[in-house]
Amino acid sequence: MAFNFTIKNAYCKRVWDELSARYADQEHFLQAAGLVLETISPVVDTMPELENTAVLERFVEPERVIMFRVPWTDDQGKPHVNRGFRVQFNSAIGPYKGGLRFSPEVNLDVLKFLGFEQVLKNSLTTLPMGGGKGGSDFDPHGKSDAEVMRFCQSFMTELYRHIGADTDVPAGDKGVGGREVAFMFGQYKRIVNNFTGVLTGKGLDFGGSLIRPEATGYGLIYFADCMLKAAGTDFKGKVCSISGDGNVAQYACQKIQQLGGKVVTLSDSTGYILDEDGIDEEKLAYVMEFRAAHKKIDEYVKKYPKAKFFKGEKPWGVKVDCAFPCATQDEIYVPDAEKLIANGCKLVAEGANMPTRADAIELLQSKGVLFAPGKASNAGGVAVSGLEMSQNSERLSWTREEVDAKLKQIMTNIHDNAYATAEKFATKADYVSGANIYGFLKVARAMMAQGLV
């Protein structure tokens, strides 16, 4: 697919041309890299030393890509083989940090895009974490606990040699929840005979952090609340649409309720539900209940028949003030953005990783819609993972209130830094440019200081 990025800086343009020719088949990675190269052009104009030390050429290439086979047996004794990956993208500011995704969609393109975004996301948190991503094309859905355990143990039997508390600290991601993290942690500990904080998202009984399940959703809404306040308003009375029905969507919904807003949609791969009365605390508890039982979103209308289910559709045609894509990448295309604009949406903040296509972002911003890129607005999850790493290193545990306060402060700092950077280098309230430039500058300075490595 051809991307029409307007890259004005000659150095950025040269790197983009080389990259797009080299990885023409990696659409997701190219979209992420192209948007960053386009938006950091103003600051690259002022820093000729970047080209002299080949910072951009190094910035867009992973430091290391690891691929391996993962053999495992199902409950009938039949052998299977999946592919495992770890993309260690950049360690200039700290150990590689980023989730593991188990899903049939996983391939090198997806993981390179996620790892690249993670570098900037982790930089924005100001915590000492580099960026990486990994996973497998294994699908845990429909598998027994014993099958998932055997897969996770086989996966970690190879991955363990490439990770460590001061080297690479994976976490969960799509398809990798507390169960999978626990199985992998147990196998790591068994192999190395060492209890260390090598994975985050662990259970509270063995080194996990309070607020970690809620962190991405809560952080998303803390960030959006800062955006609204910068625009002179808040969540009170705002009608909101959310896509997805997993952890991020659930806790984003909960935090919007707490701040006085009303959520009217949730979705999954089968379609979306619309509840014009609002998804309140009781209804959200029911969503969490049937979601934990692996039931689909249309289960909602069986208990609340006033709500409507729209099979095979996305929720972006509903009249709302704010929209939060929280499912997966590539949710909002130009026609979806046009619907949001036509229905009066004033704010879109990404809870998922790159759910909005580049041309859709451009359209939303051109029409005055406040837009928050996932590397900024969904950084709450990795922020609390970083806090979990700190707690593990110090052999202590913070209270729920302490972690939540630290999360809110981190998200506020990300917002304020992105906003101020946009004012300096781009356009006021251009959170895409502001986040990209601020995140890039920290990594670039560290790379130059450490020499050509």
Side-chain angles (χ1 to χ4, degrees):
M1 178 179 179
F3 293 102
N4 297 314
F5 294 113
T6 305
I7 301 176
K8 296 179 181 178
N9 175 269
Y11 177 33
C12 290
K13 182 66 165 60
R14 174 173 64 78
V15 171
W16 165 248
D17 289 342
E18 293 170 355
L19 194 72
S20 56
R22 187 180 306 131
Y23 300 118
D25 61 331
Q26 296 183 5
E27 179 182 336
H28 293 94
F29 172 58
L30 289 180
Q31 180 177 207
L35 185 57
V36 169
L37 290 169
E38 179 182 62
T39 52
I40 65 174
S41 286
V43 72
V44 175
D45 282 338
T46 69
M47 299 177 69
E49 63 271 28
L50 294 172
E51 186 168 10
N52 296 337
T53 53
V55 166
L56 290 183
E57 290 91 335
R58 292 185 284 144
F59 182 68
V60 297
E61 288 288 348
E63 292 177 13
R64 190 175 297 107
V65 174
I66 301 151
M67 295 178 61
F68 51 95
R69 67 187 182 210
V70 187
W72 59 282
T73 56
D74 63 25
D75 288 341
Q76 286 70 48
K78 181 181 178 181
H80 300 266
V81 179
N82 286 92
R83 294 185 299 164
F85 303 86
R86 188 65 179 171
V87 177
Q88 296 177 329
F89 218 104
N90 193 297
S91 60
I93 61 175
Y96 308 107
K97 184 83 189 78
L100 296 169
R101 177 174 292 196
F102 292 170
S103 175
E105 75 197 14
V106 166
N107 56 41
L108 196 53
D109 175 26
V110 168
L111 294 179
K112 281 178 66 178
F113 123 63
L114 291 169
F116 180 76
E117 289 281 288
Q118 197 77 46
V119 174
L120 294 166
K121 182 186 299 187
N122 294 356
S123 176
L124 283 164
T125 69
T126 72
L127 297 172
M129 302 181 293
K133 209 74 178 184
S136 173
D137 53 7
F138 171 78
D139 187 356
H141 293 99
K143 306 291 193 303
S144 70
D145 286 350
E147 288 172 327
V148 172
M149 180 182 71
R150 287 192 291 272
F151 174 83
C152 288
Q153 290 175 339
S154 180
F155 182 84
M156 184 53 73
T157 298
E158 173 58 34
L159 185 65
Y160 90 92
R161 68 188 80 244
H162 307 291
I163 63 177
D166 297 313
T167 303
D168 184 351
V169 185
D173 192 80
K174 183 179 179 181
V176 179
R179 173 184 63 170
E180 289 78 13
V181 168
F183 287 149
M184 287 188 283
F185 180 75
Q187 182 71 353
Y188 180 87
K189 182 166 62 73
R190 178 187 190 185
I191 294 169
V192 303
N193 192 30
N194 189 352
F195 193 108
T196 186
V198 72
L199 285 157
T200 56
K202 300 184 294 298
L204 293 175
D205 293 329
F206 52 99
S209 175
L210 290 160
I211 300 289
R212 180 59 190 90
E214 300 93 331
T216 307
Y218 279 13
L220 169 65
I221 304 309
Y222 287 146
F223 190 95
D225 192 43
C226 290
M227 295 171 71
L228 290 171
K229 287 175 178 173
T233 184
D234 58 30
F235 266 107
K236 291 185 178 68
K238 296 288 189 297
V239 179
C240 305
S241 59
I242 294 177
S243 68
D245 66 346
N247 264 14
V248 181
Q250 291 170 13
Y251 290 111
C253 181
Q254 186 178 82
K255 186 55 67 175
I256 289 171
Q257 293 170 8
Q258 294 172 1
L259 295 179
K262 181 170 76 169
V263 176
V264 295
T265 74
L266 290 171
S267 72
D268 65 13
S269 59
T270 66
Y272 78 92
I273 56 107
L274 171 63
D275 187 338
E276 293 181 345
D277 292 336
I279 301 169
D280 60 20
E281 187 176 347
E282 175 196 303
K283 294 172 180 176
L284 180 59
Y286 180 61
V287 172
M288 292 178 175
E289 179 185 317
F290 73 69
R291 179 69 169 74
H294 305 294
K295 294 181 180 178
K296 295 299 183 181
I297 196 67
D298 62 350
E299 196 74 18
Y300 186 94
V301 300
K302 297 176 184 177
K303 184 166 183 177
Y304 303 106
K306 284 182 67 178
K308 299 175 183 176
F309 172 64
F310 296 85
K311 184 177 181 179
E313 296 187 31
K314 296 182 284 188
W316 311 127
V318 177
K319 186 175 178 60
V320 295
D321 301 298
C322 308
F324 300 95
C326 295
T328 189
Q329 66 265 13
D330 295 338
E331 293 185 61
I332 298 179
Y333 288 75
V334 166
D336 303 305
E338 289 172 341
K339 290 177 184 177
L340 288 165
I341 293 163
N343 280 294
C345 182
K346 299 300 182 186
L347 180 149
V348 176
E350 295 184 325
N353 291 304
M354 210 168 72
T356 314
R357 301 288 293 189
D359 48 2
I361 295 173
E362 183 179 356
L363 175 61
L364 289 166
Q365 290 184 310
S366 72
K367 298 299 183 181
V369 177
L370 293 172
F371 182 85
K375 64 173 64 71
S377 53
N378 78 14
V382 75
V384 173
S385 283
L387 298 178
E388 182 177 331
M389 290 167 65
S390 297
Q391 293 172 82
N392 291 168
S393 295
E394 296 182 58
R395 299 291 195 271
L396 52 77
S397 180
W398 295 325
T399 66
R400 181 181 180 86
E401 291 73 23
E402 286 176 308
V403 177
D404 195 28
K406 292 177 190 292
L407 168 63
K408 186 174 183 179
Q409 188 60 57
I410 288 170
M411 298 310 297
T412 300
N413 291 344
I414 293 173
H415 170 273
D416 294 350
N417 289 335
Y419 190 93
T421 304
E423 277 196 307
K424 182 177 180 180
F425 290 102
T427 305
K428 187 176 180 180
D430 179 357
Y431 292 100
V432 176
S433 294
N436 285 340
I437 292 171
Y438 186 88
F440 169 74
L441 279 173
K442 181 177 181 180
V443 177
R445 288 193 295 263
M447 292 174 70
M448 287 187 290
Q450 293 167 29
L452 192 62
V453 294

